[in-house]
Amino acid sequence: MDRHPAPRRARHTSRIAAVAAALTLAAAGCGSHTTNNNPGTSSGGQIKIGVALTYNNTAFWAAYINYEKQYADQDKVQLIGPLLAQADASLQNQQIEELVNQGAQAIIVNPETATSLGPAINYANAHHVQLVSVDTIVGVGHVYMVVRASNTLYGQDACAYITSKVQSGYVLDLEGDLASSNGGDRSTAFESCVAQNAPGVKLLKEPTNWTEATAVSDAQNAVNAYGSQLKAIYAQWSSPDTGIIPLLQSKGYGKVGAANHVILISDDGVPFEMCDIQKGTLDAAQSQPANLYAQYALQYAIDAAKGVTHKEGDPGGGAPTLQNVTYNGDTNLADPIVAPFVTATQQTINVAKPVDSLPNTLTTTPVTDSTLWGNVYGAAHGGVCASS
């Protein structure tokens, strides 16, 4: 799969589905939704856009859905859906056929897997309807656009932060699913970047397949084996934080800024990561931007409905330029969004040897930035710590 399990605090059950419809996102949290200078101009009419997602019962997807509704209202677009597949790839293919039959002129989809949409793509193409894939690369046919954060940049950003502070000792990489494009891209970029920018570091690579218990166990084994020689942990998603932070605290390694602190970085941008950064128990988090996903997925869907043509090298919406991405032998055009890398205060970090021609400078986003989707969601639910 190309996603990882929905992050949440281990001690809380998911309450998001019950409040998703009631979530109101502050205007400041929506970012600047301007369509004159970005792909996909305002429709000016009732274009029908279908939406087929996996879930709505996590903070991320609840936030995404509400951003999408707000942008659709601004662009005077009629949304059909979202239809929810709940991890059933066959059902998702059927739902996309339903959306085509209901008159959708383009469809936004978060695929169950990178290779599960073959029947739906064939059906939609036969009816001259194109798909925009969100958060997942596609390797089973042609889609109009892939809207997905640059996971290669995720890995480099984590490396940049760690290698700016660590040049020796051990660093643990809790890899996601290496068979997925998200986990594979993060791991490849992080490990290559560390090797080039901190050759004195001994990198510990532990594949977790997005399993929280495995990640926490791997972290505990590394702490027990290497003690103070373990300098940093990169968790490629946020859920393991709930076990790793107490572990580090119990060993006296938990407080950011302390001499014996073990650096901890994770990926997602969920409210509890914002809370932990504020409390000084998490160094940084890559914020997978729900607002930008919603904004640009909708804009490209409008373009697809209008017959607008994009090509590699054109200006992107969330990325400097559009790029072709290949997975499983299929190549599709993508807007690899530059996601915010969140730290306690804004920092500028140089990367002496970037990977894959990525930028050699990282400017972080302070956790106090009210437009970060995790902060917006938290503000609507009593604060980032209360909503976790």
Side-chain angles (χ1 to χ4, degrees):
M1 294 179 69
D2 274 312
R3 69 181 60 82
H4 51 69
R8 59 181 176 90
R9 288 290 197 197
R11 64 179 181 273
H12 291 282
T13 57
S14 177
R15 298 168 292 138
I16 310 307
V19 299
L23 174 61
T24 300
L25 297 174
C30 295
S32 175
H33 178 60
T34 57
T35 53
N36 293 330
N37 299 317
N38 288 317
T41 57
S42 179
S43 65
Q46 283 292 296
I47 290 177
K48 294 182 179 180
I49 303 297
V51 182
L53 302 178
T54 49
Y55 308 104
N56 68 346
N57 63 341
T58 70
F60 178 86
W61 287 111
Y64 169 90
I65 289 168
N66 280 275
Y67 280 117
E68 189 169 66
K69 289 177 180 176
Q70 289 193 3
Y71 294 147
D73 287 344
Q74 291 177 29
D75 286 334
K76 297 181 173 58
V77 168
Q78 179 184 345
L79 296 179
I80 309 174
L83 304 184
L84 305 172
Q86 304 291 355
D88 186 332
S90 177
L91 174 60
Q92 187 169 69
N93 278 282
Q94 295 173 23
Q95 289 173 336
I96 291 172
E97 290 188 16
E98 289 177 27
L99 291 171
V100 171
N101 294 338
Q102 290 177 41
Q105 294 163 268
I107 296 171
I108 298 167
V109 56
N110 171 231
E112 287 296 334
T113 73
T115 56
S116 63
L117 281 182
I121 291 174
N122 291 336
Y123 188 86
N125 286 344
H127 291 78
H128 309 291
V129 175
Q130 298 199 68
L131 307 186
V132 174
S133 179
V134 178
D135 190 40
T136 301
I137 203 167
V138 174
V140 67
H142 173 74
V143 295
Y144 184 82
M145 188 72 66
V146 174
V147 176
R148 169 178 173 260
S150 171
N151 284 256
T152 300
L153 196 58
Y154 276 30
Q156 177 170 292
D157 286 350
C159 161
Y161 185 94
I162 291 171
T163 58
S164 70
K165 302 175 184 298
V166 174
Q167 287 292 310
S168 63
Y170 294 86
V171 170
L172 174 62
D173 182 12
L174 296 172
E175 302 169 318
D177 183 356
L178 295 177
S180 76
S181 57
N182 289 353
D185 286 355
R186 294 176 201 185
S187 297
T188 299
F190 179 76
E191 292 157 12
S192 175
C193 175
V194 170
Q196 294 180 62
N197 290 279
V201 163
K202 297 178 179 65
L203 195 59
L204 307 171
K205 299 181 284 187
E206 296 291 348
T208 68
N209 198 33
W210 305 127
T211 301
E212 179 181 337
T214 301
V216 175
S217 177
D218 289 339
Q220 184 167 27
N221 291 339
V223 169
N224 291 340
Y226 301 106
S228 61
Q229 288 302 303
L230 180 67
K231 302 298 184 181
I233 298 172
Y234 173 36
Q236 292 187 12
W237 79 114
S238 59
S239 294
D241 293 354
T242 61
I244 295 173
I245 288 174
L247 167 67
L248 296 179
Q249 290 176 325
S250 72
K251 301 291 186 178
Y253 302 145
K255 189 65 176 176
V256 174
N260 58 350
H261 171 62
V262 174
I263 294 169
L264 177 61
I265 295 173
S266 57
D267 292 335
D268 279 327
V270 297
F272 71 70
E273 287 175 298
M274 304 298 100
C275 173
D276 290 334
I277 292 172
Q278 289 180 15
K279 292 193 300 185
T281 56
L282 180 68
D283 290 78
Q286 196 92 44
S287 176
Q288 181 168 284
N291 55 329
L292 299 183
Y293 276 20
Q295 177 178 350
Y296 293 115
L298 184 63
Q299 290 185 3
Y300 287 118
I302 293 170
D303 281 1
K306 290 184 171 182
V308 176
T309 300
H310 295 290
K311 65 182 184 301
E312 184 179 23
D314 284 350
T321 60
L322 301 181
Q323 300 175 15
N324 282 324
V325 293
T326 300
Y327 186 76
N328 199 42
D330 280 326
T331 298
N332 281 290
L333 194 59
D335 190 346
I337 291 173
V338 176
F341 188 74
V342 184
T343 52
T345 59
Q346 188 178 74
Q347 302 177 38
T348 299
I349 302 170
N350 294 320
V351 186
K353 297 179 180 178
V355 298
D356 288 352
S357 301
L358 291 175
N360 61 2
T361 301
L362 164 64
T363 300
T364 71
T365 300
V367 72
T368 52
D369 188 328
S370 62
T371 65
L372 290 166
W373 81 264
N375 285 337
V376 174
Y377 187 91
H381 293 82
V384 292
C385 296
S387 67
S388 297

